[in-house]
Amino acid sequence: MKATAFGISLGIFMPGYLYAAALETSNQSIASFLQPDHYAEFSTAIIKAKISGKTYRPASNNPSTSSEISTQNFANTFYISNLALKLQVHPNWSFGLIYDQPFGTDIGYALEPISTSPADLVNAVDFELDTHNLTAVFGYQPNLSWNLYSGLSYQTLDTQLKISGQSMGILADYVADTDQDSGLGWLTGISYQIPEYALKTSLTYRSKIRHQPQFYEQTFSTPAIPALNLSFKQPINIETPQSLNFEFQSGITPRNLLYTSLRWVNWEKFKMISPLMSSSAPTSVNLVDYQKNQLSATLGLAHIFNEQWTGALDIGLDSGIGNPASTLSPSDDYYSLGVGGFYNLNSNLFIAAGIKYFSLNKAKVEQDQDGSGSLFGVLSSVDNNRAVAYGFKMGYRF
């Protein structure tokens, strides 16, 4: 029995979503576009994380001194989805549309107000960022083995941010949000396959996408202090990062398939700068930035049980982005273990589901943090944090 008998392809078994470094929520796989003939796919995932640590809080009887306390979980559950359509419009030409949500976060964290502090301040963060991508891909297949493809990506981005608390170095609430902004990027890649051996490999480059949304910033203090009650409106530059994906699969026995993926993401270039805070500072104040680029890898094995059922197991790792520990970056890399299953309802329709567990490694603690993520709350220690992703996928060949 050949591994190709059931249309097995890299990326079908496991949810293509990660609890990865920085703001990444999707591995931006091109696997759906490399399916044979006409193909449609829907997938969704739920990500639940347990992330906490210890931070400093001003003492209730003396706000100028701090004590160490445990935080609550500050990562909210979030949901992401993917849609894909691939059409083989000619034996040598194909066209595809892929919708995904590649970057995002949802952090919510608050401690009780300090009733005796001058402004009744609360140590809190609320940070949400959403992106939506629609990619159109054109492919040229000069023969059965090679596929050369390129395309354009239309991306929208919006974000909301609120920071409060003396322990974060400010004496007022800070609120910022952007209008939804759109930008264009591009991708290009090459794929090689030998169908009779279930061998398929691809290399895909995606460009950065530049956004220039209108950025609204305000600070509030209670009681009102004019010097701390400010507002600012100005366009800012946000560039979602360029990336490089390598994906590989091969049948190793008639019933077993090996698959792997490698991904590089250029997070060093990503920044969100506050024009309001930077106006009175000697250097630019970064709301969000990252210290190094991300490398991640997955290695998996799929086994065909019969014509209906296939199972898969994979392991993964991520290099992290080098930021010191804060409520925005409590972990710096991870190890993962995933289990998935694939069921053919008939020759054209399949469903797949999987669960992936992430062990989040601790970021380096810097007691006098002044830099990346410092506005999001210095952590004096980091707990053994974890995340779980539950994924479901349905595919139809026609």
Side-chain angles (χ1 to χ4, degrees), residues 4-317:
T4 54
F6 313 118
I8 293 172
S9 180
L10 174 68
I12 279 182
F13 306 104
M14 302 303 297
Y17 304 101
L18 308 173
Y19 198 91
L23 302 172
E24 183 167 82
T25 54
S26 167
N27 59 9
Q28 296 188 291
S29 171
I30 203 74
S32 59
F33 179 71
L34 301 178
Q35 294 295 305
D37 303 320
H38 304 315
Y39 177 73
E41 176 185 290
F42 166 76
S43 60
T44 187
I46 303 171
I47 297 93
K48 295 185 176 183
K50 178 66 174 71
I51 301 177
S52 60
K54 291 184 178 180
T55 188
Y56 294 107
R57 176 181 177 182
S60 58
N61 59 348
N62 185 4
S64 63
T65 62
S66 298
S67 58
E68 189 180 52
I69 61 168
S70 296
T71 72
Q72 63 192 64
N73 183 30
F74 44 80
N76 295 323
T77 299
F78 62 96
Y79 307 84
I80 45 183
S81 299
N82 176 284
L83 290 167
L85 173 66
K86 182 257 180 171
L87 300 175
Q88 192 69 43
V89 295
H90 181 274
N92 301 111
W93 294 95
S94 56
F95 170 74
L97 290 172
I98 301 173
Y99 164 79
D100 65 350
Q101 299 168 259
F103 310 111
T105 192
D106 187 356
I107 292 174
Y109 161 79
L111 297 178
E112 292 299 317
I114 305 165
S115 58
T116 58
S117 68
D120 196 32
L121 294 175
V122 62
N123 178 348
V125 165
D126 186 3
F127 180 37
E128 296 180 35
L129 184 141
D130 292 300
T131 60
H132 300 270
N133 263 31
L134 181 62
T135 302
V137 190
F138 296 87
Y140 172 61
Q141 299 87 51
N143 54 49
L144 292 177
S145 294
W146 291 99
N147 191 340
L148 310 174
Y149 52 90
S150 290
L152 291 175
S153 291
Y154 174 81
Q155 183 182 89
T156 63
L157 178 147
D158 62 88
T159 183
Q160 298 179 4
L161 170 63
K162 180 177 180 180
I163 307 172
S164 301
Q166 290 175 324
S167 67
M168 296 183 187
I170 57 177
L171 300 174
D173 288 347
Y174 170 83
V175 177
D177 63 81
T178 66
D179 291 335
Q180 187 178 86
D181 186 75
S182 60
L184 288 175
W186 56 274
L187 66 84
T188 189
I190 186 170
S191 173
Y192 178 77
Q193 64 176 344
I194 305 177
E196 57 267 32
Y197 296 109
L199 187 148
K200 183 181 293 184
T201 184
S202 65
L203 182 66
T204 307
Y205 170 80
R206 288 180 180 263
S207 73
K208 65 183 179 182
I209 299 180
R210 177 173 293 179
H211 297 272
Q212 291 185 306
Q214 199 70 242
F215 197 47
Y216 303 91
E217 297 179 280
Q218 287 184 291
T219 57
F220 307 92
S221 62
T222 307
I225 302 172
L228 294 178
N229 285 263
L230 306 171
S231 63
F232 208 79
K233 175 184 174 182
Q234 180 177 317
I236 63 169
N237 291 316
I238 301 175
E239 291 182 351
T240 54
Q242 62 180 337
S243 63
L244 190 65
N245 274 24
F246 173 75
E247 297 177 295
F248 173 85
Q249 69 167 54
S250 178
I252 52 177
T253 71
R255 289 181 175 269
N256 293 289
L257 181 84
L258 181 73
Y259 61 94
T260 187
S261 65
L262 300 172
R263 177 167 167 82
W264 170 85
V265 187
N266 188 204
W267 282 113
E268 281 185 349
K269 301 292 185 181
F270 183 88
K271 286 181 173 60
M272 284 182 60
I273 296 174
S274 166
L276 174 59
M277 295 186 187
S278 301
S279 61
S280 58
T283 59
S284 296
V285 176
N286 295 328
L287 297 170
V288 184
D289 67 337
Y290 299 108
Q291 299 302 294
K292 66 178 186 178
N293 296 325
Q294 171 197 356
L295 290 170
S296 58
T298 301
L299 177 65
L301 180 68
H303 177 73
I304 301 170
F305 294 101
N306 53 47
E307 292 188 3
Q308 280 74 44
W309 287 100
T310 300
L313 176 71
D314 70 31
I315 56 174
L317 58 89

Side-chain angles (χ1 to χ4, degrees), residues 40 342-351 394-398:
F342 171 97
Y343 179 70
N344 278 301
L345 296 169
N346 55 51
S347 59
N348 296 324
L349 181 65
F350 74 84
I351 58 174
M394 177 177 290
Y396 179 67
R397 305 179 184 94
F398 59 99

